[in-house]
Amino acid sequence: FVLTDVGQTTAVTVSDHWHDATWRALEWVTMVLALGHGGLGLDALLRRAPWAPGVRTATRIAGAAVVASLAVAASVVVLTYR
């Protein structure tokens, strides 16, 4: 899939790629996996935080909500891009 030097990538290159369903699917999978990876790392960090259990739980829920919101936003962008 890598056709040119990454340093030569421009907005036009990305726009051209996103007009192909395969590239869109690849970008979506990459974004969702990256968000999942980051979310799991954040949750592991927050699980060990030295806060009161209620604060720790609320913070974990807020972190999960932020990650889920970003995943939804990324999905909307990928699915509605023209």
Side-chain angles (χ1 to χ4, degrees):
F1 283 138
V2 178
L3 304 175
T4 60
D5 180 16
V6 177
Q8 296 175 352
T9 302
T10 64
V12 173
T13 307
V14 175
S15 178
D16 289 345
H17 283 176
W18 276 39
H19 283 96
D20 179 9
T22 304
W23 278 104
R24 283 174 125 174
L26 181 63
E27 290 284 342
W28 181 82
V29 168
T30 303
M31 285 189 282
V32 170
L33 287 174
L35 283 168
H37 179 77
L40 288 172
L42 178 64
D43 187 61
L45 178 73
L46 294 175
R47 237 182 297 136
R48 291 175 281 169
W51 305 322
V55 173
R56 188 169 45 239
T57 301
T59 307
R60 288 177 66 199
I61 291 170
V66 168
V67 171
S69 298
L70 289 172
V72 168
S75 297
V76 167
V77 168
V78 170
L79 294 173
T80 61
Y81 182 81
R82 291 187 186 238

